Amino acid sequence: MPDASGPVAAHTQLASVPLFASLNESQLRTLAFRAEERSYRDGDTIIAQGDDGNALFLILSGKAQVTRSKRPVAVLGPGQYFGEMALLDSQPRTADVTAEGPVRCLVLTAWEFWSAVETKPEVLRAMFKEVSRRLRASPAAFSE
Ligand code: CMP
């Protein structure tokens, strides 16, 4: 019986993340092997608005609250991800992301993310789709 934690479990969980739907099993294994799993407790700040950072966080379990300038904008759950904005444009983090209860994430460095994109450009297409969706859901993004 394999251990319930670590790269084996992470690889299985990655398979259900829509962002990586285009990756085959061996590509998912590579990604899971390189990524780091991190656990957070209720109330922990995972990302702080204004910080530098270029890692991408995939939620394996639990919920994360996204707060922009003290205003709650989204709650993200398993299979969803955050941290893509600073990863894409190397600018400061646009929001706080806080653990709502215990949260487990798989953290990918920018280098790991771009390696996955090189093998499968569809990953980038999936990410742009989600970025557009988040933009549409943020009316403030379109105000003068
Ligand atoms: P980043 O700016 O790198 O760090 C904070 C993250 O919060 C950001 O990337 C997004 O992943 C996430 N985020 C910011 N605004 C929203 C939003 N309106 N809806 C969902 N997630 C968001």
Side-chain angles (χ1 to χ4, degrees), residues 95-131:
D96 289 326
V97 184
T98 312
E100 258 195 24
V103 175
R104 273 189 322 121
C105 289
L106 209 55
V107 186
L108 291 179
T109 64
W111 186 85
E112 288 153 357
F113 173 75
W114 291 115
S115 302
V117 170
E118 267 172 35
T119 50
K120 279 277 175 186
E122 289 90 335
V123 170
L124 203 54
R125 186 189 293 236
M127 179 172 274
F128 279 139
K129 203 170 163 185
E130 177 63 15
V131 169

Side-chain angles (χ1 to χ4, degrees), residues 73-76 80-81 84 126-139 142:
V73 291
V75 177
L76 305 174
Q80 293 185 292
Y81 56 88
E84 78 289 349
M127 179 172 274
F128 279 139
K129 203 170 163 185
E130 177 63 15
V131 169
S132 289
R133 200 195 60 75
R134 288 180 185 182
L135 203 56
R136 282 178 194 277
S138 308
F142 298 103

Side-chain angles (χ1 to χ4, degrees), residues 80-97:
Q80 293 185 292
Y81 56 88
F82 53 90
E84 78 289 349
M85 294 179 73
L87 178 113
L88 289 169
D89 70 2
S90 303
Q91 295 295 303
R93 297 294 194 186
T94 58
D96 289 326
V97 184

